[in-house]
Amino acid sequence: MKYLTANFSITGADEMLLQASREVLADELAAVGFESFEDTDGGLTGYVQSELLDREGLAAVCREFPLKGVSVSYELAEVEDRDWNETWENEGFDPIDIKGQVIIYDARHPFTLPQTDGTQSPVTIAIEARQAFGTGTHQTTRMVVQTLLNIELADKRVLDCGCGTGILSLVASKLGAGSVVGYDIDEWSVENTKHNAQLNAVDNLEVFTGDASVLSHISGVFDVVMANINRNILLADMAAFKDVMRPNAILILSGFYVDDAQMLVEKARELGLTEINRRTEDDWCCLVLK
């Protein structure tokens, strides 16, 4: 995947206001595609996949920065095309227990299922993350998994939009989904999803490369559609999601902040979708629509 780095310079802020400015700027940048940040002496450095950057939105963020007397400028540069997750991938992650019903663990590190009291054993998912998002460590992933635990998935057809490592597809399959379709704009993610499906002996998952436009080439409709992507993509693609939902289907959305939920609910309402549940964890939100 191709990344860009943006070095942001914040001027007009004293030491106390500088940190607040960084936090506001990071929040605004997340909405235009940025996914990670590092503080610098005079501002912030942000990283974004080049294909996901909303350049007009970026310019507007800096032009219309909301803190009085503070101005923001930036310089964009290409980043070497390499696996930026390599160190993290090698170190791995600790097993993640979600409600005692799903345990997600690093396939490259030994794992022993904890002793149970005789009740039903949890679903276990092995993940090897290769330049892809989604191990269960992030709040949004956990919330979508929790939502899936409360949906009857037996024999249902499920769509995973922006599948990343494939974690949500794998959980849906293990919870009884009849078939699962996933897609991602990133070829690394598509291959990673296929690899993780093999690791977990999941054979009812089909994966495509592309954005929401691939849905026009997939026949049939879905009972459950899930998308853990940033706010702007959700707003742009929600109509495409609606078009492939059968009557009474469920749409699960996450990947955005609590403050952004209202605009997503309003967009959903325009499309004839109604909010039936929501979860929040820290500043993140997950909406369930029907």
Side-chain angles (χ1 to χ4, degrees):
M1 62 184 74
K2 299 291 185 181
Y3 270 86
L4 298 174
T5 179
N7 294 312
F8 296 92
S9 178
I10 299 173
T11 57
D14 58 24
E15 185 175 349
M16 182 175 298
L17 187 56
L18 177 59
Q19 185 55 36
S21 299
R22 289 191 184 106
E23 293 173 359
V24 171
L25 179 58
D27 186 44
E28 296 279 340
L29 293 173
V32 297
F34 283 81
E35 59 188 59
S36 60
F37 306 96
E38 294 176 347
D39 289 354
T40 62
D41 289 342
L44 196 69
T45 296
Y47 299 90
V48 58
Q49 291 184 45
S50 58
E51 293 181 349
L52 300 183
L53 176 60
D54 177 355
R55 292 177 180 267
E56 291 184 4
L58 172 59
V61 165
C62 296
R63 184 176 61 250
E64 303 166 8
F65 196 66
L67 297 186
K68 187 175 181 180
V70 177
S71 60
V72 177
S73 59
Y74 67 92
E75 293 182 355
L76 275 176
E78 291 187 356
V79 179
E80 178 187 357
D81 188 16
R82 59 186 288 262
D83 188 345
W84 291 98
N85 291 333
E86 183 176 2
T87 299
W88 177 85
E89 291 168 4
N90 290 336
E91 293 176 352
F93 60 93
D94 293 330
I96 300 152
D97 188 329
I98 301 177
K99 301 295 185 180
Q101 299 178 65
V102 174
I103 296 178
I104 302 163
Y105 67 95
D106 191 330
R108 288 160 296 194
H109 293 75
F111 169 73
T112 301
L113 187 66
Q115 294 292 324
T116 64
D117 57 5
T119 57
Q120 185 176 358
S121 297
V123 169
T124 57
I125 307 287
I127 290 293
E128 280 189 15
R130 297 176 177 175
Q131 283 197 334
F133 174 86
T135 60
T137 58
H138 197 272
Q139 297 94 324
T140 58
T141 309
R142 292 198 300 270
M143 287 190 291
V144 176
V145 172
Q146 291 169 18
T147 300
L148 290 174
L149 288 169
N150 292 321
I151 296 175
E152 178 52 61
L153 291 174
D155 300 323
K156 297 294 177 63
R157 191 172 191 229
V158 177
L159 175 65
D160 185 2
C161 309
C163 52
T165 62
I167 178 61
L168 299 179
S169 293
L170 300 178
V171 170
S173 177
K174 292 286 189 178
L175 292 177
S179 64
V180 185
V181 174
Y183 71 85
D184 201 292
I185 195 171
D186 177 29
E187 292 181 4
W188 276 89
S189 294
V190 171
E191 293 306 314
N192 196 196
T193 293
K194 292 177 180 178
H195 176 70
N196 287 323
Q198 291 178 337
L199 283 178
N200 291 274
V202 168
D203 59 8
N204 65 342
L205 169 59
E206 190 174 11
V207 193
F208 297 88
T209 302
D211 57 20
S213 63
V214 304
L215 296 177
S216 63
H217 304 294
I218 298 173
S219 61
V221 289
F222 296 86
D223 302 287
V224 177
V225 176
M226 48 192 178
N228 187 13
I229 322 176
N230 75 57
R231 181 198 70 185
N232 285 1
I233 294 178
L234 293 176
L235 288 169
D237 292 351
M238 202 183 306
F241 303 158
K242 167 70 183 312
D243 287 344
V244 296
M245 293 169 63
R246 70 171 74 250
N248 295 315
I250 297 294
L251 175 61
I252 306 168
L253 302 179
S254 197
F256 54 91
Y257 294 109
V258 173
D259 290 345
D260 294 327
Q262 187 55 40
M263 69 175 68
L264 288 160
V265 170
E266 291 174 359
K267 177 65 174 181
R269 189 179 298 121
E270 293 174 5
L271 297 169
L273 298 165
T274 303
E275 178 184 354
I276 58 174
N277 195 12
R278 78 169 62 187
R279 297 176 184 273
T280 59
E281 185 175 341
D282 299 326
D283 293 328
W284 298 94
C285 185
C286 175
L287 290 174
V288 184
L289 306 152
K290 190 172 184 179

